[in-house]
Amino acid sequence: MNNHVTVLEIDGNALLHNLAYFKQKLEPKTKVLAVVKAFGYGSDGIQIAQFLEDKVDYFAVAYSHEGVALREAGIKKPILVLHPQTPNLQQIINYRLEPNLYNFKIFNAFLELADEIPLMNYPIHIKFNTGLNRLGFWHTDIPNIISRLKETNHIKVQSLFSHLAASEDLEEKDFTINQINNFAYIAQQFYKHLGYEPMLHILNTSGVVNFSKAQFDMVRIGIGLYGFGNDKEETAQLKNTHNLKSIISQIHLIDPGETVGYNRAFIAKSPTKSATIPVGHADGLSRKLGNKKGYVFINNKKAKIIGNVCMDMIMVDVTKIDCKEGDEVIIFNSQEMLHHISNTSETIIYETLTSISPRIQKKIVS
Ligand SMILES: *Cc1c(COP(=O)(O)O)cnc(C)c1O
């Protein structure tokens, strides 16, 4: 049981709001897959999956052990494993996870296992590379894949999918449309020659925002569920789900000329009151936030981080804030604060969220 005093509260009502926001952009029949990989983007994939289980059609994780954790927590919905590896295939079957088969190495390995057990119509997903050049078969592999599929009833294609490379970037619109068209062509080949029609999906969050016509049978929503739309107007319609709170561990009164923290990076020019907070770079707060670049809120007032961010702590300037040891500290609780952290850390919101360490206690509230 994690009883760490620094707690990430996951806002369940915000999750529901964001899910409803994307659903109203979709046809009623379009399925929704909630992406809960990487601990639900730095929060808690299990708590989120339990909370959303009866409101979405599918879950996805990146690696098989992430899917195992969901199954062990009692999640019954289908779980797509986006990036399985050959040593994990038996585990995938044991936990009835659904593998993405993205090349012949993993396709053949899975089919061999399916034949040997034998499995019957085991649900698998096939991914095509349409331009991201990361994972996926080439369209030239289609005849070979189809002939292998027609020889077996041990596996059954649940879906065909692909992933967009620049769905958030309208300057790359032509490239994205070309990816969508290539995917539609691939799907057509399967529909023509396979004898049944697997589900199709290509859109992630910003795909839904910018190319909702290409929703096919399902969409895969990750960052949007957590309150970010890769676009100012969209993000304004969403609600932040990740709220990081802590407390003041200790207050120091510092005389002019004295310093705070490692490398004596902060030097007091006048009498200064500092507060020590139990959260540091090991918890996901970049050192780039040190030396007054980052801030927190204490009793509704902004307190800047002074000196360097330590592994387990930060010190903030509370000279002008009425506060005491034990008072609540907001590390972030809004899109604006998270954008500031992300920009100051010179990264993107995906990395800022997923950097939140497993050491922090996670709690869904609604
Ligand atoms: C992570 C991931 C997603 C989710 O993307 P968002 O931009 O967070 O919505 C969808 N599909 C695949 C293949 C992914 O790896």
Side-chain angles (χ1 to χ4, degrees), residues 11-43:
D11 184 338
N13 294 323
L15 274 174
L16 295 179
H17 168 90
N18 298 335
L19 179 62
Y21 176 76
F22 286 102
K23 281 191 174 173
Q24 57 86 31
K25 286 181 179 289
L26 300 168
E27 301 291 334
K29 64 168 179 31
T30 305
K31 292 186 161 69
V32 175
L33 174 154
V35 182
V36 295
K37 63 191 178 188
F39 303 106
Y41 288 48
S43 62

Side-chain angles (χ1 to χ4, degrees), residues 22 33-37 41 60-62 80 82-83 100 127 132 134-135 161-164 167-168 201-208 219-226 228 230 350:
F22 286 102
L33 174 154
V35 182
V36 295
K37 63 191 178 188
Y41 288 48
V61 292
L80 165 56
L82 293 165
H83 196 173
N100 162 25
K127 187 174 202 179
L132 181 59
R134 191 173 71 173
L135 285 184
F161 74 111
S162 187
H163 195 38
L164 299 172
S167 58
E168 74 286 2
H201 47 109
I202 192 169
L203 300 182
N204 66 332
T205 297
S206 33
V208 174
V219 298
R220 306 186 300 269
I221 302 182
I223 198 80
L225 270 181
Y226 309 107
F228 292 87
N230 289 329
Y350 291 84

